[in-house]
Amino acid sequence: MMENLVYKSTRGHGDPVSASYAIVHGIAEDGGLFVPDHLPKMDKTLEELLTMDYRALAYEVMKLYLPDFSEDELHYCIDRAYDDKFDTSKIVPLSHPGETHVLELFHGATLAFKDMALSVLPYLMTTAAHKQNLEEEIVILTATSGDTGKAALEGFANVSGVRIIVFYPKEGVSPIQKLQMVTQQGDNTHVVAIKGNFDDAQRSVKEIFTNPEEAVKMKNAGYMFSSANSINIGRLVPQIVYYYWGYLQMVRDQKVELGDSVNFCVPTGNFGNILAAHYAKSMGLPIGKLICASNSNNVLTDFFHTARYNSNRPFHITSSPSMDILVSSNLERLVYELCQGDGAKVQELMDSLRQRGSYILDLDPALLQEEFWADFADEEETAEAIRQMYTAYHYVMDPHTAVAYSVAEKYGKETGDARPMVIVSTASPYKFPASILAAIGVPAPKEEEALMEKMSEISDTTVPQRVRQVLGSQIRHHRVCEKDRVLAEVHDILGL
Ligand SMILES: *Cc1c(COP(=O)(O)O)cnc(C)c1O
């Protein structure tokens, strides 16, 4: 049966739109996020899925959310995304250090899990633009906490009909993350450091998207804005795939029987990754609990305990910078479900978030906890997790993954839940060598290249080719802007 899945705004305004419209536009006109009008069910059995490779599996998942893409179009996008840009033909390997299961999402071009979606998004977007008969040049505006920026630049570099502008917090990313971005090649790429944090960058970018005067100005100049952030549904859908893959890999590795449930622990910032897990569960994948792991910026931990969202708190710069976020955009999609699709209610809550920095869901927190369990790891616990895993199994985790590991341990202790737990690993250790060496207690060389060699030595792995390239590349991007000058910077780049 073909269900006619369409997308609606979480804030209730406007007509339903097709998947390709939602991908091209990124965000709804009323400032809401596009959500599927229903969550589809997987139409293949787990036995059938078990025999598939990553691409075939990606097709089975993505077709359900992108019904206006033809079979050929989807295969075209998927085949070009998940190829030898990844350093393993499995695309996503599952490691088993000791009794732990680690789903390694960092084997793509930029060594972070953002590659899982951003390898395919450019193809989805250009295909969708073609279907929508767009004539404008697409300008991708992206706020990054470190990893999205590079993954999006890499994905969109030299894609014709598209320009990309990335804003990153000047003091909020690791040296290698910064180098990856400022050395980016491609005439259609622009990178700007903003004197503020990720939330400042994300807020400015969202404001530009939903500014009607700006949209007119852009259209007249032959441009339209879109987003490569996880507010774009084209980011979220490809992320559902690896939850299926991780589960099936657990079965193949004989860690569970087909049909038994598995828990996933997800290091969370903008709530995109774990929302994809929630969608996978809704599709019928046997997931038990979803563990939402935060760092010291633990606004989501409090949310799941109290049903109150309160971003009025100190902002901590941590060793897991991609999770240094106080306003988690994608939570709006879960809130929409919790409000039973009442767009007016969601609008009211998001207005409250904008005006007061907080909102209260009229809901018993116990309801949230049926599916989710949340906690956080502070800096000492994160370092301790890295040290422990290294000492016991010689396995090196990056700090984001370590946050998840630490929280997963707490979950096990507090609940006694004996179901297998998969730790979702979101970055390669080579992106955060200084924090890792400090955690393990190995003196860290100052110079980046020596740092990487040290990392290689202690982990018995070779320095990824991509890291070597970045270290030897020329810096091409020098722009810096004040946090309230993001729009002016965009105009300057586009020559308006
Ligand atoms: C983006 C990112 C996260 C957070 O993912 P969300 O989808 O924003 O919750 C965690 N770890 C790393 C390494 C990331 O790049």
Side-chain angles (χ1 to χ4, degrees), residues 444-463:
K446 287 236 160 21
E447 204 249 329
E448 283 299 316
E449 212 153 319
L451 253 180
M452 296 305 165
E453 292 305 333
K454 196 80 201 164
M455 193 69 226
S456 161
E457 195 186 308
I458 66 145
S459 62
D460 280 337
T461 57
T462 47
V463 179

Side-chain angles (χ1 to χ4, degrees), residues 20 44 72 107 110-111 123 220 250 260 276 322 326 344-346 352 380 390 396 468 471 481:
S20 60
K44 295 279 186 306
D72 283 349
H107 290 270
T110 77
L111 312 177
Y123 297 105
N220 291 338
M250 284 289 280
D260 289 353
S322 302
L326 293 178
K345 184 71 200 165
V346 176
S352 168
E380 186 38 50
Y390 182 70
V396 182
R468 288 194 192 283
L471 291 177
C481 86

Side-chain angles (χ1 to χ4, degrees), residues 143-182:
T144 184
S145 57
D147 291 326
T148 291
K150 177 59 183 182
L153 288 162
E154 190 71 23
F156 283 102
N158 299 319
V159 171
S160 71
V162 180
R163 286 227 222 174
I164 169 156
I165 309 176
V166 167
F167 292 91
Y168 72 92
K170 189 161 179 295
E171 309 301 337
V173 300
S174 83
I176 187 81
Q177 285 181 313
K178 178 174 171 178
L179 259 185
Q180 281 185 309
M181 288 188 276
V182 296

Side-chain angles (χ1 to χ4, degrees), residues 113-114 147 267-273 322-323 400 426-427:
F113 98 94
K114 303 297 195 290
D147 291 326
T268 296
N270 230 348
F271 208 73
N273 200 352
S322 302
M323 295 153 68
H400 302 77
T426 50

